[in-house]
Amino acid sequence: MTSPSAIKWSANQLALLDQRILPNRIDYISYSEPLAVADAIRSMVVRGAPAIGIAAAYGMALAAQQFANKPMANTADWKQALQPARAALADSRPTAVNLFWALERCDRAIEEHGSGDLVTALCQLAEQIHAEDIEINQRIGDFGASLIPANSIVYTHCNAGALATGGYGTALGVIRSAHRDGHIRGVIAGETRPWLQGARLTSWELMSDGIPVTLAIEGAAAHLMREQRPSWIIVGADRVAANGDAANKIGTYNLAIIAKYHGVKVMVAAPTSTFDATIDGPQIPIEQRPSEEISHSFGQRIAPENVAIANPAFDVTPADLIDAIVTEHGIIHQPDRARVLAHLQAAAQQQR
């Protein structure tokens, strides 16, 4: 894999690859302050649910470093000192459940180490979450690749690759593993308006790895499914609900409906950290992005002044339109509440 790392941590300093300017420039922005990390998540310097969680964990480590020379008497003092950073990070992207999963792991570290060397503990935890994610993605890739028949064309949406994770990717991890196995003839990548992650990021990642990719506009999806007959649509997720519904980049729901009509299967590739067993799909909060993302293009207004704009960042695909959810622990075929919860219970037992 030749894509650069989206997240780098060295000498207790965080560097994020600025994904807003890819593929034209490869620039890293350095961060030493947690509120700036929250802004980087909100402004899409770093994006993708797993990568957001990793960045948030490093943000908490940076927050603790600010108090390294101010001794805290106990855990309660640490909680109070770190609360502003935690609140800002939690507020940065509300749909991505990995963000809250990572912050909850930081909460547990504060409880366990608040009377000791919490700075070191949070730095080590962030590095651990980062390393775990790469291994998890590789396992997801191998499980998902087992479903891809030989000589396949597959369709993907947005970017769920190395840039959206700690490395390797979820949806693109499946594609990478299937290509390694000789089963991928080609990939169709939707452009993914309005941020064009499919055009700018997914196409670049796949081309960098020598995986044949064709970029297409969103409106061509139905035509291409009829003409090209992809075996699978493969996407990531920002949250998977207890009933198997999955929130992903806006437009995923459209693709699932079109796929059902054309007999194309739908795969969601996501780590178990993306699951939220406390809610069903209709309760997933949907982030509303600024209207300027649609009214303007490359700094130029393209829509009439004062036009009403709807800019949801995500939609929710019902479980009955999903053929398989692939995690690091295996495959949930025809997901529903019982199968999702059974999978999560089995995963929890394996981790004990």
Side-chain angles (χ1 to χ4, degrees):
M1 193 182 73
T2 57
S3 302
S5 298
I7 303 169
K8 292 182 177 181
W9 177 257
S10 178
N12 295 331
Q13 181 88 10
L14 178 64
L16 298 176
L17 178 64
D18 190 347
Q19 298 191 34
R20 302 168 300 182
I21 58 175
L22 289 173
N24 295 326
R25 297 206 322 268
I26 298 175
D27 284 346
Y28 284 86
I29 303 175
S30 294
Y31 296 88
S32 58
E33 204 275 328
L35 299 186
V37 176
D39 185 65
I41 295 171
R42 185 179 300 106
S43 63
M44 306 275 278
V45 172
V46 61
R47 26 73 50 203
I52 288 171
I54 296 165
Y58 282 125
M60 289 298 291
L62 292 174
Q65 286 180 2
Q66 293 182 324
F67 298 95
N69 296 321
K70 299 177 183 178
M72 297 292 170
N74 50 45
T75 297
D77 286 350
W78 269 116
K79 286 182 178 179
Q80 182 177 359
L82 297 178
Q83 179 55 30
R86 192 196 189 284
L89 290 163
D91 192 50
S92 59
R93 296 294 301 273
T95 303
V97 75
N98 300 66
L99 169 64
F100 305 98
W101 169 84
L103 291 175
E104 287 166 6
R105 288 185 69 174
C106 292
D107 292 342
R108 292 196 293 272
I110 294 169
E111 290 286 352
E112 294 171 7
H113 301 280
S115 299
D117 188 356
L118 182 61
V119 175
T120 298
L122 284 175
C123 290
Q124 290 177 343
L125 175 61
E127 291 174 328
Q128 178 184 346
I129 290 173
H130 195 171
E132 285 175 356
D133 189 68
I134 298 172
E135 179 185 353
I136 284 168
N137 291 343
Q138 290 169 338
R139 299 212 310 262
I140 290 172
D142 289 347
F143 279 122
S146 71
L147 299 176
I148 309 298
N151 201 36
S152 279
I153 291 176
V154 297
Y155 197 116
T156 193
H157 182 60
C158 195
N159 174 264
L163 295 170
T165 64
Y168 202 69
T170 52
L172 292 198
V174 172
I175 291 170
R176 283 187 167 100
S177 293
H179 182 261
R180 174 204 64 202
D181 296 342
H183 288 181
I184 295 291
R185 176 159 53 97
V187 180
I188 301 169
E191 61 180 346
T192 324
R193 294 178 180 269
W195 274 81
L196 301 174
Q197 294 99 321
R200 297 186 301 104
L201 308 180
T202 293
S203 298
W204 181 60
E205 272 201 48
L206 294 176
M207 291 175 69
S208 297
D209 281 1
I211 299 174
V213 58
T214 299
L215 178 64
I217 63 168
E218 315 286 66
H223 172 77
L224 291 171
M225 283 190 217
R226 183 177 62 192
E227 298 297 317
Q228 298 293 326
R229 294 292 173 184
S231 61
W232 286 90
I233 292 174
I234 309 173
V235 297
D238 285 78
R239 191 178 299 218
V240 179
N243 66 340
D245 294 354
N248 191 50
K249 182 58 58 183
I250 191 74
T252 303
Y253 183 22
N254 304 35
L255 288 175
I257 293 170
I258 297 168
K260 178 69 78 173
Y261 180 85
H262 290 94
V264 177
K265 294 181 177 180
V266 175
M267 180 192 307
V268 173
T272 52
S273 59
T274 301
F275 285 64
D276 185 347
T278 68
I279 60 173
D280 288 346
Q283 284 79 54
I284 295 175
I286 300 299
E287 176 187 1
Q288 300 294 322
R289 299 284 302 174
S291 61
E292 290 78 14
E293 294 179 354
I294 293 179
S295 64
H296 290 69
S297 179
F298 300 103
Q300 298 295 316
R301 174 172 284 279
I302 59 173
E305 291 273 3
N306 300 319
V307 65
I309 289 175
N311 187 17
F314 305 95
D315 55 29
V316 178
T317 299
D320 59 7
L321 294 178
I322 299 170
D323 294 278
I325 300 177
V326 181
T327 81
E328 72 274 26
H329 295 284
I331 302 167
I332 309 171
H333 295 279
Q334 304 302 319
D336 59 16
R337 184 183 309 278
R339 294 187 178 99
V340 166
L341 295 181
H343 186 87
L344 294 179
Q345 289 169 359
Q349 289 177 351
Q350 290 177 28
Q351 291 171 339
R352 287 175 186 159

